[in-house]
Amino acid sequence: MPTPSLAALPIRRLTHRDLTACADLSEDRGWPREERKWGLLLSAGQGYGIDDPAGGLVAACVVTEYGSADRPSLAAIGMVLVADRHARQGVGRRLMRHVVATMGPTPLTLHATPNGRPLYEELGFKTTARAEMVRGRLTPDRSPSDAVTRAATAEDLPAILRLDEEVFGADRTHMITRLPAFADRLRVAEDGGRIIGYAAAWPNMDTHVVGPLIARDTETAKALLASLAAHTDRPLRTDIDVRHEELLAWVKSRGLESVAFNAVMNHGIAELPGDWRRRFAPLTVAAG
């Protein structure tokens, strides 16, 4: 049970002024500081945190809502962290209960580590899928591909937004329109002049994280991954839905290695909306 002092600490909304404190909290738990990702999430989503009277944050998380502003159809929860000195005292449970209550009837989704999964199950989340994190340098595939890829332009954005909403199952314009500034690379795949997939690679410590990865089929997803790998000297990291067995086998045969598995868990909805067959990897596990 939490101590009386921790239980009395108020939960408040976080802002960009809390960016350093959020990065400090990540570092405290042995995570990378990830200021760039925290900045994106605090801009496109809503952070919740508990201040430590001694300085910094006791705990934090971010919720990113999708769909209409007045009635979101889905919200992703991520970056759920509790300072090491306050761990195992019920703080994370209290914060998560607050978030679930605040979101009301809005369906929720999150990626859970094995350590976090029991708490989320206690709060009513159900595992509906799994994602495998892979990392490494993708070696070129010499076999020919019919998929044509190129760098995205500003003129492509409306088509990217339409495709993304169709595949993701909810409008996330406020997130996707931030990609050109957030990512180092944004590429599209075309067929007859029509965009059939897109992917971004954004910097995270010494890697480029690939996400989102949305494609008409596995061959298109391969072509997008290969094109991103060809335009970076960093290792790639991405989280691929394990149902995409062919893509996972391909990336592993070309140099990427399995790092971890996360459970995709939902609350208030049996399955995620959209088309998982064309949704290969999230923008980030923290935001879906």
Side-chain angles (χ1 to χ4, degrees), residues 1 4 78 80 102 104 137 146 165 172 174 213-214 217 239 287:
M1 296 293 291
V80 182
T102 299
R137 295 187 182 277
D146 292 333
E165 183 172 0
R172 50 177 180 173
H174 67 301
L213 175 55
I214 283 177
D217 49 36
D239 298 84

Side-chain angles (χ1 to χ4, degrees), residues 185-201:
R185 299 284 183 272
L186 181 60
R187 297 187 67 83
V188 296
E190 288 183 311
D191 182 5
R194 182 172 63 92
I195 291 177
I196 58 171
Y198 83 97

Side-chain angles (χ1 to χ4, degrees), residues 2-282:
T3 63
S5 57
L6 286 177
L9 294 174
I11 297 171
R12 68 171 177 88
R13 297 283 186 101
L14 300 177
T15 71
H16 258 272
R17 292 190 297 273
D18 299 297
L19 182 58
T20 299
C22 290
D24 289 344
L25 185 59
S26 290
E27 192 171 54
D28 174 77
R29 292 316 303 257
W31 288 20
R33 291 183 61 82
E34 298 186 309
E35 286 100 333
R36 190 182 185 92
K37 184 165 74 172
W38 275 111
L40 173 71
L41 295 171
L42 290 173
S43 295
Q46 179 60 64
Y48 294 87
I50 301 173
D51 289 313
D52 190 333
L57 290 168
V58 170
C61 72
V62 180
V63 180
T64 310
E65 298 179 32
Y66 300 115
S68 63
D70 58 338
R71 189 168 184 173
S73 56
L74 183 69
I77 300 174
M79 308 302 280
V80 182
L81 285 168
V82 177
D84 186 61
R85 61 192 176 280
H86 299 301
R88 294 172 295 280
Q89 298 183 54
V91 182
R93 180 178 292 102
R94 179 179 168 228
L95 181 60
M96 281 297 302
R97 282 179 173 161
H98 174 84
V99 169
V100 171
T102 299
M103 296 309 299
T106 301
L108 307 174
T109 185
L110 55 80
H111 281 65
T113 64
N115 287 338
R117 185 172 169 180
L119 167 61
Y120 303 130
E121 288 177 337
E122 178 185 322
L123 296 173
F125 285 81
K126 307 290 186 184
T127 298
T128 59
R130 286 201 311 156
E132 183 173 1
M133 181 190 295
V134 289
R135 183 187 187 280
R137 295 187 182 277
L138 190 73
T139 58
D141 188 346
R142 303 303 180 188
S143 58
S145 173
D146 292 333
V148 177
T149 67
R150 60 169 174 82
T153 68
E155 288 72 25
D156 294 321
L157 192 55
I160 289 173
L161 289 170
R162 287 192 297 271
L163 176 63
D164 187 82
E165 183 172 0
E166 179 184 337
V167 175
F168 187 76
D171 180 6
R172 50 177 180 173
T173 297
H174 67 301
M175 179 65 83
I176 303 305
T177 51
R178 287 176 164 87
L179 274 181
F182 177 69
D184 284 348
R185 299 284 183 272
L186 181 60
R187 297 187 67 83
V188 296
E190 288 183 311
D191 182 5
R194 182 172 63 92
I195 291 177
I196 58 171
Y198 83 97
W202 47 273
N204 188 274
M205 308 307 289
D206 64 338
T207 68
H208 266 130
V209 176
V210 176
L213 175 55
I214 283 177
R216 179 177 65 184
D217 49 36
T218 302
E219 290 305 311
T220 305
K222 290 178 182 179
L224 284 165
L225 276 169
S227 69
L228 290 171
H231 290 85
T232 179
D233 57 358
R234 300 187 188 193
L236 298 183
R237 178 167 68 83
T238 191
D239 298 84
I240 298 174
D241 188 317
V242 298
R243 291 173 289 189
H244 292 294
E245 297 177 357
E246 183 183 347
L247 183 63
L248 278 167
W250 181 80
V251 297
K252 290 175 184 177
S253 73
R254 310 221 91 45
L256 273 63
E257 297 180 351
S258 180
V259 176
F261 288 89
N262 286 328
V264 181
M265 306 187 75
N266 301 332
H267 184 285
I269 188 171
E271 295 288 344
L272 289 175
D275 183 2
W276 72 264
R277 293 169 182 82
R278 290 182 286 165
R279 186 175 57 233
F280 289 84

